[in-house]
Amino acid sequence: MNTSNYILKEIEQSDIHNIHKGLSNPEITKYYDVHFSTLEETEEQMKWYRNLKKEGIGIWWGIYDKKDNQFCGAGGFNGLDKNNQKAEIGLWLLKEYWGKGILKEVMPQLFEQGFTELNLNRIEGYVVSENTKCKSALEKINFKYEGTMRECEIKNGERINVDFYSILKSEWSN
């Protein structure tokens, strides 16, 4: 998959160093469900990516800059429910790529995959309530806020709220 400035390639085992670079950075994982201190721990995430595809419940891509083929981050779908035609979307970027408009450019390509290739009707996004940057970014690309799940998760011993968003196929314009 391609956009004007980025290439999206399905995540493979050889991406483990790139995945570790992102998911070992506390600034990136602050609002994320995982954090890996070592390359060995990152293997857990690589298994997760493989299992998504094997079980038919998702797929993730690495995001690469077309100019220099540098890894920028990753995005994709998990929790794919074919019967109800919905999936959860996720995306994270290395810190040096924050604020460069990547989300705005890459998300339409992910929508295209979700709504056409995966035959989804609904794409969902779950965001820790404190993560105002992510919530703002979702709203800019037409996700609708649906509500807050109060104290629904525990992270680092703290109860946290999670906001949920969605976009429907009928709201998406390709």
Side-chain angles (χ1 to χ4, degrees):
M1 291 190 298
N2 293 307
T3 70
S4 298
N5 299 299
Y6 303 96
I7 298 167
L8 282 77
K9 296 189 274 192
E10 194 172 326
I11 290 179
E12 298 176 347
Q13 185 62 33
S14 59
D15 292 312
I16 191 167
H17 293 280
N18 292 327
I19 301 301
H20 176 71
K21 183 177 179 184
L23 299 183
S24 64
N25 183 328
E27 289 183 87
I28 293 170
T29 62
K30 180 177 181 180
Y31 300 114
Y32 212 59
D33 285 340
V34 297
H35 179 86
F36 303 108
S37 299
T38 67
L39 200 58
E40 291 74 30
E41 288 175 5
T42 308
E43 181 56 39
E44 184 181 320
Q45 186 73 11
M46 303 312 290
K47 285 180 191 166
W48 183 77
Y49 292 133
R50 285 192 300 273
N51 285 337
L52 286 177
K53 183 149 190 195
K54 188 171 97 177
E55 295 172 17
I57 55 170
I59 184 169
W60 274 64
W61 296 272
I63 303 165
Y64 293 84
D65 191 311
K66 273 186 178 176
K67 285 182 291 204
D68 55 14
N69 203 35
Q70 286 298 305
F71 179 83
C72 304
F77 297 102
N78 44 277
L80 175 62
D81 178 343
K82 290 178 183 170
N83 291 335
N84 292 302
Q85 296 179 303
K86 66 179 185 171
E88 180 182 346
I89 198 165
L91 190 135
W92 58 266
L93 297 170
L94 296 176
K95 190 163 185 225
E96 56 265 35
Y97 296 99
W98 291 1
K100 298 195 183 299
I102 295 174
L103 182 83
K104 196 169 180 135
E105 185 171 335
V106 167
M107 282 299 226
Q109 188 66 45
L110 293 178
F111 290 166
E112 174 78 21
Q113 283 294 307
F115 290 132
T116 59
E117 300 300 316
L118 298 175
N119 195 35
L120 300 176
N121 180 60
R122 175 183 169 90
I123 296 174
E124 301 172 337
Y126 296 86
V127 183
V128 172
S129 295
E130 293 176 5
N131 192 348
T132 54
K133 284 183 181 177
C134 183
K135 293 190 310 185
S136 173
L138 287 178
E139 289 166 2
K140 284 180 186 171
I141 54 173
N142 299 324
F143 272 80
K144 304 288 185 266
Y145 169 75
E146 292 193 351
T148 299
M149 297 179 286
R150 300 175 306 136
E151 298 184 1
C152 68
E153 293 181 10
I154 297 175
K155 184 166 180 163
N156 301 324
E158 302 279 326
R159 287 182 175 83
I160 60 171
N161 299 334
V162 175
D163 294 344
F164 58 100
Y165 290 79
S166 72
I167 186 168
L168 303 177
K169 188 173 188 174
S170 62
E171 297 165 336
W172 169 67
S173 58
N174 51 351

